[in-house]
Amino acid sequence: MIQYIGLIIVGVLGFYLISTAVPAAQTASTILAWMVPILMWRKLGKTASQQAVCLIFIGLSCLMFSASRGVFLGWELIFSANLPPLAMFVAVAFLTLTNPACEDPELPKGTKAIVTTAIGTHLLGAVINLSVLFIFGDRLQRRGVLSREQLIILPRSFCAAAWWSPFFIATGVTLTYAPGMQWLETLVPGAIMSVIAILYSFIEVRFFRKTSFSGYPIRIESLFVPVILAASVICLHHFKPDISIIRIICLLSPVGALIFMKGRPRMSTFKHFVGSKLTSVNSQFALFLAAGVFSTGIKSLTLVYPTLFSFSGATFTPLIFTLVLGAMIAVGTIGVHPLMSIAIVSPLLIPLSPDNSQLGFLFLSSWAISTGSSPLSGVGLALTSRYHASPREIVQNNWHYAIAMWAITSILNLLFF
């Protein structure tokens, strides 16, 4: 069965899309999703397997305790809680087929190099996600190492896309845990925050660090695909608001990948991707499914003790927004995945009846800031393992950035929500 993992993963996405017209297909999608980590368990990384086991154990313990008190949310919800963002993750993975090729042998230097590298990382990363970090990093490295300035520009510019990009998995998670969130309402403040984050990093590297910056030789035509895809999502969501943003992305991403695919011949490139590269998402399957069990367990506890979690008379004030955001950034910096902190915080904040889009902005901000600042996030671990970056250096580079973005995000929350 292991040799068919790629097809099973494609089946997860396919049945999820079919469930729009045939709700029973969601069961098939859920079963296939759980088959992935079960069949690939021995190939999971140690960190991913440990986190998954911990989340499932705590979640099932909460569910069994709640069931003994007469509260049971149903097997379908328990095992499929995170199916929508997981299907979106699979769909977005296809966009790596549109990776741009680099032809320029020389690396540009100076101010223009900082700007093109930051914008290129941001816009391309907004669509084809983490693979862009490797494309840029592999091109910029010298003897397997990135400069301190490159370690500032690349992760911050990439992670800032979490504030607004519909193709970032942060959006799928947020739409799941902030039910009723209107993505277009977070688009403007999110885009503003991403611009501020990039400007902050540009000013730091250009004016406060004297080392010459070697940037990525990006071409304008390389930005065509991400701009077209992002615009397509925004337009379709505007004219068809009844279709969820996750389903739009799940449909457009594979279609866009096939249209703008770089490899030739197309069919053999597609088969190679499904059979070899798509299987690398097994750790994400384990983490997302386990987090779904965990969050359902927490939700069931809130129903067992409604008075304890009712926060009678309390409201979701700007102060609570600021304090919760700070806490989520702090735990994200020490290695807690944003998905886990969102799964914990969501059932606790929803009883406060917050504006759903404001809650979504909180989750997106915690994701963008913590992943761009922490040596223990997925991005941070990629930098330390692939480019030999020092965890201490990453912390020293980004502690002031995290504090500044936290403060500015809190101000934008006041202005927009």
Side-chain angles (χ1 to χ4, degrees):
M1 290 292 288
I2 293 182
Q3 63 267 32
Y4 300 112
I5 287 295
L7 292 175
I8 292 174
I9 293 173
V10 173
V12 172
L13 174 61
F15 280 109
Y16 175 75
L17 288 172
I18 293 173
S19 68
T20 303
V22 185
Q26 180 167 313
T27 301
S29 182
T30 302
I31 293 172
L32 291 176
W34 278 95
M35 287 176 63
V36 175
I38 291 174
L39 293 174
M40 299 289 288
W41 187 259
R42 291 185 177 181
K43 295 188 178 183
L44 287 179
K46 184 177 180 181
T47 301
S49 60
Q50 288 177 342
Q51 288 183 341
V53 169
C54 181
L55 289 171
I56 291 176
F57 176 77
I58 296 174
L60 290 178
S61 297
C62 293
L63 288 167
M64 288 188 292
F65 176 80
S66 301
S68 69
R69 296 294 190 275
V71 175
F72 183 67
L73 299 178
W75 296 112
E76 186 74 16
L77 178 60
I78 293 171
F79 291 111
S80 65
N82 276 343
L83 185 62
L86 192 56
M88 175 181 162
F89 184 87
V90 175
V92 170
F94 280 92
L95 292 173
T96 58
L97 292 169
T98 67
N99 282 349
C102 178
E103 300 175 356
D104 296 337
E106 298 296 327
L107 296 179
K109 299 182 183 298
T111 301
K112 184 178 179 180
I114 301 174
V115 174
T116 56
T117 301
I119 294 177
T121 306
H122 183 73
L123 292 181
L124 289 173
V127 175
I128 60 179
N129 284 223
L130 192 59
S131 59
V132 155
L133 202 62
F134 298 141
I135 294 171
F136 279 43
D138 289 351
R139 184 71 179 87
L140 297 179
Q141 66 178 340
R142 285 291 178 266
R143 298 178 182 176
V145 178
L146 294 174
S147 71
R148 187 171 185 177
E149 291 71 26
Q150 291 166 343
L151 288 173
I152 289 173
I153 292 295
L154 289 180
R156 291 186 194 173
S157 300
F158 168 70
C159 294
W163 262 303
W164 67 270
S165 173
F167 297 97
F168 237 74
I169 194 59
T171 300
V173 171
T174 298
L175 288 167
T176 301
Y177 286 96
M181 163 192 161
Q182 297 299 311
W183 174 69
L184 291 177
E185 292 182 7
T186 65
L187 179 59
V188 173
I192 292 174
M193 279 306 308
S194 67
V195 171
I196 292 173
I198 293 174
L199 281 175
Y200 182 99
S201 303
F202 169 79
I203 292 171
E204 179 184 351
V205 171
R206 174 63 180 82
F207 297 104
F208 292 92
R209 299 183 184 275
K210 305 302 181 182
T211 307
S212 175
F213 184 90
S214 296
Y216 187 84
I218 195 168
R219 297 176 179 272
I220 296 300
E221 55 266 28
S222 300
L223 304 179
F224 175 76
V225 173
V227 170
I228 289 295
L229 290 176
S232 299
V233 171
I234 293 172
C235 291
L236 188 54
H237 185 56
H238 175 74
F239 291 108
K240 293 288 185 179
D242 53 316
I243 304 177
S244 73
I245 191 73
I246 291 181
R247 292 189 186 276
I248 289 175
I249 295 168
C250 285
L251 181 61
L252 285 184
S253 294
V255 173
L258 292 174
I259 293 174
F260 299 110
M261 184 188 301
K262 299 294 183 183
R264 295 293 187 275
R266 290 176 182 270
M267 186 54 66
S268 60
T269 300
F270 181 79
K271 288 181 178 179
H272 174 71
F273 173 78
V274 172
S276 301
K277 296 184 178 181
L278 192 58
T279 58
S280 63
V281 303
N282 58 347
S283 60
Q284 283 79 10
F285 267 72
L287 183 60
F288 273 71
L289 293 171
V293 175
F294 173 81
S295 64
T296 308
I298 297 296
K299 182 178 180 180
S300 65
L301 279 184
T302 65
L303 297 177
V304 173
Y305 299 105
T307 55
L308 181 62
F309 295 99
S310 65
F311 301 105
S312 180
T315 56
F316 190 63
T317 63
L319 177 60
I320 292 179
F321 178 99
T322 300
L323 293 176
V324 172
L325 176 60
M328 295 178 75
I329 293 172
V331 298
T333 302
I334 62 175
V336 177
H337 195 283
L339 173 62
M340 296 173 63
S341 60
I342 291 173
I344 294 172
V345 167
S346 176
L348 300 179
L349 293 183
I350 287 178
L352 301 182
S353 300
D355 178 279
N356 293 317
S357 297
Q358 182 185 28
L359 187 61
F361 184 57
L362 168 67
F363 294 161
L364 292 173
S365 299
S366 69
W367 194 297
I369 298 171
S370 62
T371 55
S373 307
S374 171
L376 298 175
S377 67
V379 173
L381 291 173
L383 295 176
T384 55
S385 62
R386 194 178 184 100
Y387 305 114
H388 309 290
S390 165
R392 176 179 293 183
E393 182 181 16
I394 293 176
V395 172
Q396 290 175 342
N397 286 345
N398 294 300
W399 66 268
H400 54 88
Y401 167 81
I403 293 175
M405 293 304 106
W406 167 65
I408 297 172
T409 300
S410 299
I411 294 172
L412 252 66
N413 172 57
L414 284 170
L415 296 176
F416 281 90
F417 300 103

mmCIF file of all heavy atoms in Angstrom, residues 315-327 349 352 358 362 406 410 413-414:
data_model
loop_
_atom_site.group_PDB
_atom_site.id
_atom_site.type_symbol
_atom_site.label_atom_id
_atom_site.label_comp_id
_atom_site.label_asym_id
_atom_site.label_seq_id
_atom_site.Cartn_x
_atom_site.Cartn_y
_atom_site.Cartn_z
ATOM 1 N N THR A 315 -15.966 40.207 27.407
ATOM 2 C CA THR A 315 -15.987 40.477 25.973
ATOM 3 C C THR A 315 -14.570 40.392 25.422
ATOM 4 O O THR A 315 -13.588 40.474 26.160
ATOM 5 C CB THR A 315 -16.562 41.876 25.670
ATOM 6 O OG1 THR A 315 -15.793 42.856 26.383
ATOM 7 C CG2 THR A 315 -18.018 41.966 26.101
ATOM 8 N N PHE A 316 -14.495 40.257 24.112
ATOM 9 C CA PHE A 316 -13.202 40.133 23.453
ATOM 10 C C PHE A 316 -12.655 41.538 23.208
ATOM 11 O O PHE A 316 -12.821 42.118 22.144
ATOM 12 C CB PHE A 316 -13.359 39.359 22.147
ATOM 13 C CG PHE A 316 -12.051 38.980 21.511
ATOM 14 C CD1 PHE A 316 -11.172 38.135 22.162
ATOM 15 C CD2 PHE A 316 -11.709 39.465 20.257
ATOM 16 C CE1 PHE A 316 -9.964 37.769 21.564
ATOM 17 C CE2 PHE A 316 -10.504 39.109 19.654
ATOM 18 C CZ PHE A 316 -9.629 38.263 20.313
ATOM 19 N N THR A 317 -12.002 42.092 24.207
ATOM 20 C CA THR A 317 -11.511 43.464 24.156
ATOM 21 C C THR A 317 -10.169 43.536 23.420
ATOM 22 O O THR A 317 -9.486 42.521 23.246
ATOM 23 C CB THR A 317 -11.330 44.014 25.572
ATOM 24 O OG1 THR A 317 -10.322 43.229 26.242
ATOM 25 C CG2 THR A 317 -12.633 43.941 26.353
ATOM 26 N N PRO A 318 -9.760 44.738 23.021
ATOM 27 C CA PRO A 318 -8.426 44.897 22.421
ATOM 28 C C PRO A 318 -7.307 44.428 23.342
ATOM 29 O O PRO A 318 -6.285 43.918 22.860
ATOM 30 C CB PRO A 318 -8.345 46.407 22.157
ATOM 31 C CG PRO A 318 -9.762 46.835 21.984
ATOM 32 C CD PRO A 318 -10.543 45.982 22.933
ATOM 33 N N LEU A 319 -7.481 44.601 24.651
ATOM 34 C CA LEU A 319 -6.459 44.148 25.592
ATOM 35 C C LEU A 319 -6.323 42.630 25.551
ATOM 36 O O LEU A 319 -5.203 42.094 25.547
ATOM 37 C CB LEU A 319 -6.803 44.605 27.011
ATOM 38 C CG LEU A 319 -5.835 44.141 28.112
ATOM 39 C CD1 LEU A 319 -4.430 44.654 27.843
ATOM 40 C CD2 LEU A 319 -6.333 44.591 29.491
ATOM 41 N N ILE A 320 -7.454 41.927 25.497
ATOM 42 C CA ILE A 320 -7.411 40.467 25.412
ATOM 43 C C ILE A 320 -6.743 40.050 24.105
ATOM 44 O O ILE A 320 -5.929 39.121 24.072
ATOM 45 C CB ILE A 320 -8.832 39.870 25.523
ATOM 46 C CG1 ILE A 320 -9.372 40.084 26.935
ATOM 47 C CG2 ILE A 320 -8.828 38.392 25.168
ATOM 48 C CD1 ILE A 320 -10.778 39.559 27.138
ATOM 49 N N PHE A 321 -7.079 40.740 23.012
ATOM 50 C CA PHE A 321 -6.449 40.454 21.722
ATOM 51 C C PHE A 321 -4.928 40.564 21.843
ATOM 52 O O PHE A 321 -4.189 39.670 21.428
ATOM 53 C CB PHE A 321 -6.964 41.446 20.671
ATOM 54 C CG PHE A 321 -6.349 41.278 19.300
ATOM 55 C CD1 PHE A 321 -7.026 40.590 18.300
ATOM 56 C CD2 PHE A 321 -5.090 41.810 18.998
ATOM 57 C CE1 PHE A 321 -6.475 40.444 17.037
ATOM 58 C CE2 PHE A 321 -4.527 41.657 17.744
ATOM 59 C CZ PHE A 321 -5.224 40.972 16.758
ATOM 60 N N THR A 322 -4.463 41.658 22.444
ATOM 61 C CA THR A 322 -3.024 41.904 22.560
ATOM 62 C C THR A 322 -2.349 40.864 23.443
ATOM 63 O O THR A 322 -1.278 40.343 23.106
ATOM 64 C CB THR A 322 -2.781 43.314 23.130
ATOM 65 O OG1 THR A 322 -3.354 44.294 22.250
ATOM 66 C CG2 THR A 322 -1.288 43.592 23.283
ATOM 67 N N LEU A 323 -2.967 40.539 24.580
ATOM 68 C CA LEU A 323 -2.367 39.585 25.507
ATOM 69 C C LEU A 323 -2.326 38.177 24.911
ATOM 70 O O LEU A 323 -1.316 37.473 25.028
ATOM 71 C CB LEU A 323 -3.137 39.581 26.827
ATOM 72 C CG LEU A 323 -3.064 40.866 27.660
ATOM 73 C CD1 LEU A 323 -3.950 40.748 28.895
ATOM 74 C CD2 LEU A 323 -1.627 41.166 28.060
ATOM 75 N N VAL A 324 -3.416 37.767 24.275
ATOM 76 C CA VAL A 324 -3.468 36.428 23.682
ATOM 77 C C VAL A 324 -2.469 36.329 22.526
ATOM 78 O O VAL A 324 -1.763 35.322 22.386
ATOM 79 C CB VAL A 324 -4.892 36.096 23.199
ATOM 80 C CG1 VAL A 324 -4.910 34.790 22.420
ATOM 81 C CG2 VAL A 324 -5.843 35.991 24.384
ATOM 82 N N LEU A 325 -2.394 37.379 21.706
ATOM 83 C CA LEU A 325 -1.441 37.375 20.603
ATOM 84 C C LEU A 325 -0.016 37.254 21.127
ATOM 85 O O LEU A 325 0.789 36.475 20.607
ATOM 86 C CB LEU A 325 -1.587 38.645 19.766
ATOM 87 C CG LEU A 325 -0.580 38.822 18.622
ATOM 88 C CD1 LEU A 325 -0.684 37.668 17.630
ATOM 89 C CD2 LEU A 325 -0.794 40.163 17.911
ATOM 90 N N GLY A 326 0.297 38.012 22.175
ATOM 91 C CA GLY A 326 1.633 37.935 22.756
ATOM 92 C C GLY A 326 1.954 36.545 23.266
ATOM 93 O O GLY A 326 3.067 36.030 23.078
ATOM 94 N N ALA A 327 0.969 35.919 23.915
ATOM 95 C CA ALA A 327 1.180 34.571 24.448
ATOM 96 C C ALA A 327 1.373 33.562 23.321
ATOM 97 O O ALA A 327 2.232 32.676 23.402
ATOM 98 C CB ALA A 327 -0.002 34.165 25.316
ATOM 99 N N LEU A 349 -11.832 31.256 23.262
ATOM 100 C CA LEU A 349 -12.194 32.618 22.888
ATOM 101 C C LEU A 349 -13.576 32.717 22.236
ATOM 102 O O LEU A 349 -14.234 33.755 22.342
ATOM 103 C CB LEU A 349 -11.148 33.200 21.935
ATOM 104 C CG LEU A 349 -9.752 33.453 22.516
ATOM 105 C CD1 LEU A 349 -8.857 34.090 21.455
ATOM 106 C CD2 LEU A 349 -9.820 34.329 23.753
ATOM 107 N N LEU A 352 -16.533 34.158 24.026
ATOM 108 C CA LEU A 352 -16.543 35.598 24.252
ATOM 109 C C LEU A 352 -17.270 36.343 23.129
ATOM 110 O O LEU A 352 -17.360 37.571 23.164
ATOM 111 C CB LEU A 352 -15.109 36.132 24.351
ATOM 112 C CG LEU A 352 -14.230 35.549 25.459
ATOM 113 C CD1 LEU A 352 -12.864 36.218 25.448
ATOM 114 C CD2 LEU A 352 -14.886 35.727 26.822
ATOM 115 N N GLN A 358 -12.065 39.308 13.255
ATOM 116 C CA GLN A 358 -11.046 39.767 14.204
ATOM 117 C C GLN A 358 -10.310 38.574 14.812
ATOM 118 O O GLN A 358 -9.087 38.596 14.960
ATOM 119 C CB GLN A 358 -11.703 40.596 15.309
ATOM 120 C CG GLN A 358 -10.722 41.165 16.322
ATOM 121 C CD GLN A 358 -11.420 41.886 17.460
ATOM 122 O OE1 GLN A 358 -12.569 41.559 17.803
ATOM 123 N NE2 GLN A 358 -10.770 42.867 18.049
ATOM 124 N N LEU A 362 -6.317 37.584 14.454
ATOM 125 C CA LEU A 362 -5.469 37.175 15.580
ATOM 126 C C LEU A 362 -4.680 35.923 15.232
ATOM 127 O O LEU A 362 -3.458 35.851 15.432
ATOM 128 C CB LEU A 362 -6.331 36.930 16.819
ATOM 129 C CG LEU A 362 -5.655 36.238 18.006
ATOM 130 C CD1 LEU A 362 -4.580 37.142 18.612
ATOM 131 C CD2 LEU A 362 -6.679 35.845 19.060
ATOM 132 N N TRP A 406 4.180 42.490 16.927
ATOM 133 C CA TRP A 406 3.124 42.295 17.933
ATOM 134 C C TRP A 406 2.452 43.621 18.274
ATOM 135 O O TRP A 406 1.224 43.720 18.315
ATOM 136 C CB TRP A 406 3.731 41.645 19.175
ATOM 137 C CG TRP A 406 2.855 41.649 20.388
ATOM 138 C CD1 TRP A 406 1.665 41.002 20.547
ATOM 139 C CD2 TRP A 406 3.094 42.335 21.625
ATOM 140 N NE1 TRP A 406 1.159 41.230 21.813
ATOM 141 C CE2 TRP A 406 2.016 42.043 22.489
ATOM 142 C CE3 TRP A 406 4.131 43.148 22.083
ATOM 143 C CZ2 TRP A 406 1.941 42.560 23.787
ATOM 144 C CZ3 TRP A 406 4.064 43.657 23.384
ATOM 145 C CH2 TRP A 406 2.980 43.369 24.208
ATOM 146 N N SER A 410 -1.410 44.880 17.121
ATOM 147 C CA SER A 410 -2.391 45.297 18.130
ATOM 148 C C SER A 410 -3.003 46.647 17.773
ATOM 149 O O SER A 410 -4.198 46.881 17.998
ATOM 150 C CB SER A 410 -1.720 45.367 19.509
ATOM 151 O OG SER A 410 -1.219 44.096 19.883
ATOM 152 N N ASN A 413 -5.421 46.152 14.918
ATOM 153 C CA ASN A 413 -6.653 45.554 15.438
ATOM 154 C C ASN A 413 -7.613 46.635 15.904
ATOM 155 O O ASN A 413 -8.828 46.564 15.661
ATOM 156 C CB ASN A 413 -6.316 44.606 16.587
ATOM 157 C CG ASN A 413 -7.552 44.103 17.312
ATOM 158 O OD1 ASN A 413 -8.441 43.515 16.709
ATOM 159 N ND2 ASN A 413 -7.633 44.381 18.610
ATOM 160 N N LEU A 414 -7.081 47.679 16.565
ATOM 161 C CA LEU A 414 -7.908 48.788 17.019
ATOM 162 C C LEU A 414 -8.502 49.553 15.838
ATOM 163 O O LEU A 414 -9.657 49.969 15.858
ATOM 164 C CB LEU A 414 -7.085 49.736 17.878
ATOM 165 C CG LEU A 414 -6.780 49.290 19.319
ATOM 166 C CD1 LEU A 414 -5.765 50.229 19.954
ATOM 167 C CD2 LEU A 414 -8.060 49.262 20.139
#
